[in-house]
Amino acid sequence: LPALLVHQDFTRKIMKANVGGIDRTVRIVAGLVLIGLAATGTVGWWGWLGAVPLATGLLGWCPPYAIFGFNTCKTR
């Protein structure tokens, strides 16, 4: 149980959402398109890198955004 609480605290503080609505949508669509193109052989192996924008779009959190202090989420 303590490990779960530490993980939840880490997630709340470190992995705070920093990717907003339009940004998330673009990342998800671009990721799916790249993965689809790679799966069909239309592009080379680099198309599988579409997993990165797909993951950041689904999670709503981007590590480089966190490092450089960017945030495309609407403020409340």
Side-chain angles (χ1 to χ4, degrees):
L1 185 63
L4 178 61
L5 294 176
V6 169
H7 175 70
Q8 288 175 343
D9 188 48
F10 171 79
T11 303
R12 264 189 239 112
K13 288 183 179 177
I14 304 300
M15 291 183 63
K16 187 175 181 181
N18 60 8
V19 179
I22 294 172
D23 194 2
R24 285 182 85 167
T25 303
V26 169
R27 288 169 183 256
I28 292 169
V29 170
L32 289 172
V33 167
L34 283 171
I35 291 169
L37 291 172
T40 59
T42 305
V43 298
W45 63 269
W46 60 268
W48 292 106
L49 294 175
V52 174
L54 178 61
T56 58
L58 292 174
L59 291 173
W61 182 72
C62 177
Y65 273 21
I67 291 169
F68 296 112
F70 296 129
N71 189 340
T72 58
C73 289
K74 291 183 179 181
T75 56
R76 296 182 201 198

